[in-house]
Amino acid sequence: MLTYIIRRLFILPLILIGVTMLVFAMLSMLTPYERASLYVSDIPKRQGAIEDIVKKYGLDDPIHIQYWRWMVGQKDEVTGEIDGGILRGDMGFSTVGHMPVAEVIKHRLPATAELALLSAIPLIGLSVWMGIKSAVHHNKLPDQILRVLAIIGWSVPTFVLGLLLLMFFYAKLDWFPPERLSLWASQIVQSGEFTRYTQMNTIDSLLNLRFDIFLDALRHLVLPVITLSIISWAFLLRVTRSSMLDTLRQDYMTTARAKGLNERRVIKGHAVPNALIPVITVGGMTLIGLFNGVVITETIFNYPGLGKFMAASAAMLDVVSVLGMTLFSSFVLVFGNLIVDVLYGIVDPRIRLD
């Protein structure tokens, strides 16, 4: 198993270099004057200031020199310090966030991570369990009901479902409000009395023994979690059901039954482990997508995560922020794929022995 993980780790730097090249290629489509916004926090008012920035950072140099400077930074001739550099965490300045892109990601990532983790619990747990039940009771009443629910859940667009939930449960019943916290809870969280450990409201409120804030945070998370879970739940249920049905038809399943094993042991010991491999792929990619920030859901519920920041940056034509988020999302995807590969080796020993 260790050899299998080491092989995957050796491939990782090459993939990351390829990702940075693709992002830089998109950045190179801009003119040197447009790319100067990477290095300034405001539009210079002085005549010729942009030309000075282009000259200082060599934005009209050959492309390979610009790529190297973009990756490792550039030494300042006056102070001797190194400015910029993706490897140093400098992705440029966000005009939408009014701070460096890396700081915006650091500030908003806990909110998206909290939403993604709470969405993953019902998403992965229920969809896998229901998919297995649907396949075991193939063409029977439970299977028919779950198939209908999966089709309905997969067919409803995210923005339609989110707006319907918001109109009914907030506008009409006033049960589950949008945003992340109520005003009174937000004031307490931002005060010196409340210690921030993880920047996740549900966890931090429990660590501070503030159960009133914990309940308020959950109220604000209910509708976004349902909106995110329904669509992905329906798809993952269908994948689990299809994989399980295919596994149940294999010859080794007939052999296991012929040996006298009861049906429950056949399903749990033989069918489920073999059917989980495609489920791990889809589930892993779905969870990675949640961590990257779901643009539509966070925008509908005014949830201050990475998805809403990405939508605002695109709407305001903040190219630096969009490319910075693209680079961050690519890194998350690459490392997420590594975790999925490791899970492959744990679930199926044949893979790590290839």
Side-chain angles (χ1 to χ4, degrees), residues 1 3-4 33 108 213 217 227 252 259 309:
M1 185 65 185
T3 305
Y4 174 79
Y33 298 99
R108 289 179 176 254
I213 297 179
T227 303
Y252 61 83
K259 289 180 178 181
F309 170 67

Side-chain angles (χ1 to χ4, degrees), residues 16-215:
L16 292 176
I17 291 173
V19 168
T20 59
M21 287 182 175
L22 287 174
V23 174
F24 186 76
M26 291 188 287
L27 186 64
S28 299
M29 295 178 184
L30 303 175
T31 66
Y33 298 99
E34 291 173 327
R35 277 183 281 130
S37 59
L38 278 168
Y39 304 96
V40 295
S41 59
D42 198 1
I43 300 175
K45 301 295 190 295
R46 180 175 56 84
Q47 184 73 21
I50 295 294
E51 287 78 3
D52 292 342
I53 294 173
V54 171
K55 183 178 179 180
K56 177 181 178 181
Y57 294 101
L59 300 180
D60 52 357
D61 287 345
I63 194 69
H64 63 281
I65 297 177
Q66 291 189 51
Y67 173 75
W68 176 257
R69 190 181 294 121
W70 180 68
M71 286 291 294
V72 303
Q74 180 178 4
K75 188 174 182 180
D76 192 294
E77 297 179 357
V78 179
T79 63
E81 297 180 354
I82 297 178
D83 294 332
I86 294 299
L87 295 178
R88 297 166 56 85
D90 191 343
M91 300 181 184
F93 190 89
S94 170
T95 56
V96 172
H98 306 291
M99 62 179 72
V101 176
E103 290 295 321
V104 176
I105 293 175
K106 180 181 177 181
H107 180 70
R108 289 179 176 254
L109 180 59
T112 296
E114 184 176 32
L115 177 59
L117 291 174
L118 289 177
S119 300
I121 296 172
L123 165 62
I124 297 177
L126 286 177
S127 59
V128 171
W129 178 76
M130 290 182 177
I132 293 172
K133 290 296 181 182
S134 181
V136 170
H137 298 90
H138 182 50
N139 285 335
K140 296 179 181 178
L141 183 60
D143 182 32
Q144 300 290 352
I145 294 174
L146 289 173
R147 286 167 64 185
V148 171
L149 292 176
I151 292 173
I152 294 174
W154 180 246
S155 302
V156 179
T158 304
F159 68 92
V160 173
L161 178 61
L163 289 173
L164 288 175
L165 292 174
L166 195 62
M167 287 187 293
F168 183 76
F169 288 103
Y170 174 60
K172 186 175 182 179
L173 301 178
D174 196 23
W175 287 358
F176 306 116
E179 300 184 354
R180 200 178 177 199
L181 283 174
S182 299
L183 180 60
W184 64 268
S186 180
Q187 291 174 344
I188 295 174
V189 167
Q190 295 173 9
S191 67
E193 303 174 359
F194 193 91
T195 305
R196 301 292 275 173
Y197 297 99
T198 65
Q199 304 299 318
M200 298 183 188
N201 292 330
T202 51
I203 296 177
D204 288 348
S205 58
L206 290 176
L207 294 176
N208 283 271
L209 301 178
R210 291 302 303 260
F211 300 106
D212 53 343
I213 297 179
F214 173 76
L215 293 175

Side-chain angles (χ1 to χ4, degrees), residues 267-314:
I267 292 172
K268 286 190 174 182
H270 297 272
V272 173
N274 289 284
L276 282 181
I277 294 177
V279 177
I280 290 175
T281 304
V282 177
M285 293 300 101
T286 302
L287 188 57
I288 291 169
L290 295 179
F291 268 102
N292 277 334
V294 183
V295 175
I296 296 176
T297 301
E298 291 188 355
T299 302
I300 289 174
F301 294 101
N302 197 26
Y303 191 84
L306 294 176
K308 186 183 176 186
F309 170 67
M310 186 71 166
S313 300

